[in-house]
Amino acid sequence: MKAGIAPGAEPMAGCRLWADSGTRIEMTREDEIAGYRPTVEVRVVVCGHGRVGGSFARSCVLAAIPTWVIDVQSVVYQMPTILPIGMNAAMSVKFVPPVSLPTLWYLCTPEHVNDDLVRQICESPGFNRATDCIAVASATWDTSRVPEDLGASVGRAHPLHPFPPAATLMPVPCGTPFGTSGLPEFAIHLLESMGFVPFALDDQDRYLYHAAAVLVSNLPAALVQQAAGIFMRCGVPDGHVVAAGMLCALAEVISTSGPASVPGPAARGDHLTVKADQDAIDRHDPDTGHVHRILSEVIVKMTSGSDNSR
């Protein structure tokens, strides 16, 4: 990536970013994917180039959707990796130009900045109240708190997916469910045309829904960490790799056969082994032992009547 190209020099077509200083940044064609065509006449402005924003922006570019990325932390310009071609970037929404297409302004930003960011969008020259839509990626931010004087509503489009670090620039996987509320038809159609699965999420359920997402996509990392520490103490090489691999293998089993197909002593009713394991882990670390006891009891209940023999 080359910054500060001399005035008049033209980078390769479709490979330029614009900073709010007017600096032109040349991109390579490494990320160009042949065969993608616009699936809906719309523009997307992604605010925040973190895990969610970076992945969603990559998906938009791969679908040949006109895309802008706004990142107030300047992450867009400081990242050592190469950004996708066809992506415009700036550090403020005020530099997004007006267009005739309806625009989805997608806020993938921390909740504490959303109030001010929504106001900035509504006051920016590129925002059209008649055609555009503002949506937050957050599952929990209260979309009803937008002041009436702004004359704009804010919807929700929360992706049910554990995202990798932003530097990986991986697109959102096809088939990812999006919990939505308050979105216009064009935004729903956009998500569908990109291969995602939008569904209606009742705002009254948003915290319970988000807790379930955290339970399955975040908290297992703590189990991996604890198991890896025990593995390494017991001489298992590459304990973290082994523990993470076992979790991935379990996910594959239950994704094809259901949670009740889980293996192990609790599932097959081997109470003596469960008790011996429990005593050992209680001696090692009572907190981890508490988690082990609770989850073992849940597995016993959910596998009752199942054939989980070795």
Side-chain angles (χ1 to χ4, degrees):
M1 183 168 65
K2 303 175 183 177
I5 296 175
E10 284 293 328
M12 291 180 288
C15 304
R16 61 176 68 96
L17 303 180
W18 297 94
D20 54 352
S21 64
T23 302
R24 187 175 296 176
I25 304 173
E26 183 177 345
M27 310 303 296
T28 76
R29 303 188 70 86
E30 177 178 302
D31 293 301
E32 184 171 18
I33 305 296
Y36 283 88
R37 295 292 183 270
T39 55
V40 61
E41 293 295 323
V42 65
R43 177 180 67 172
V44 174
V45 178
V46 179
C47 298
H49 197 266
R51 292 175 183 252
V52 180
S55 293
F56 191 80
R58 166 64 70 85
S59 294
C60 291
V61 170
L62 293 181
I65 295 169
T67 305
W68 279 78
V69 169
I70 309 301
D71 196 286
V72 296
Q73 299 296 330
S74 304
V75 175
V76 169
Y77 311 105
Q78 297 170 7
M79 286 176 57
T81 53
I82 297 174
L83 295 174
I85 70 164
M87 182 186 293
N88 301 287
M91 287 188 286
S92 171
V93 294
K94 67 182 181 180
F95 296 103
V96 179
V99 293
S100 58
L101 297 175
T103 298
L104 171 65
W105 301 75
Y106 194 38
L107 277 58
C108 304
T109 42
E111 292 190 359
H112 70 273
V113 306
N114 283 349
D115 286 344
D116 186 53
L117 185 53
V118 168
R119 180 171 291 278
Q120 290 180 36
I121 291 172
C122 291
E123 295 173 352
S124 68
F127 180 69
N128 186 331
R129 285 176 174 78
T131 61
D132 292 1
C133 165
I134 303 174
V136 293
S138 168
T140 55
W141 192 70
D142 184 4
T143 57
S144 67
R145 62 188 293 163
V146 179
E148 293 184 3
D149 66 292
L150 294 181
S153 61
V154 176
R156 189 185 318 281
H158 175 261
L160 269 177
H161 180 69
F163 288 89
T168 64
L169 288 172
M170 296 296 292
V172 185
C174 288
T176 296
F178 273 68
T180 66
S181 62
L183 296 184
E185 184 177 349
F186 87 82
I188 295 293
H189 180 54
L190 170 66
L191 295 175
E192 291 174 338
S193 69
M194 294 173 68
F196 307 137
V197 184
F199 66 94
L201 175 63
D202 192 319
D203 267 6
Q204 293 183 342
D205 294 331
R206 68 183 190 273
Y207 283 107
L208 182 60
Y209 154 87
H210 189 252
V214 169
L215 188 66
V216 73
S217 66
N218 299 165
L219 299 188
L223 300 181
V224 170
Q225 175 74 8
Q226 295 303 311
I230 296 173
F231 280 161
M232 288 187 287
R233 173 178 170 173
C234 297
V236 177
D238 299 320
H240 281 92
V241 175
V242 172
M246 293 180 72
L247 181 62
C248 291
L250 174 62
E252 183 68 23
V253 169
I254 63 179
S255 67
T256 56
S257 304
S261 65
V262 61
R268 63 176 181 265
D270 186 350
H271 304 300
L272 292 178
T273 299
V274 170
K275 184 179 186 306
D277 288 353
Q278 186 65 61
D279 291 344
I281 205 165
D282 281 338
R283 290 192 297 270
H284 171 73
D285 177 47
D287 289 337
T288 305
H290 183 59
V291 174
H292 182 277
R293 180 178 293 103
I294 292 173
L295 296 183
S296 294
E297 291 172 354
V298 171
I299 287 178
V300 168
K301 292 178 182 178
M302 77 182 194
T303 57
S304 178
S306 301
D307 181 11
N308 285 25
S309 57
R310 288 176 183 262

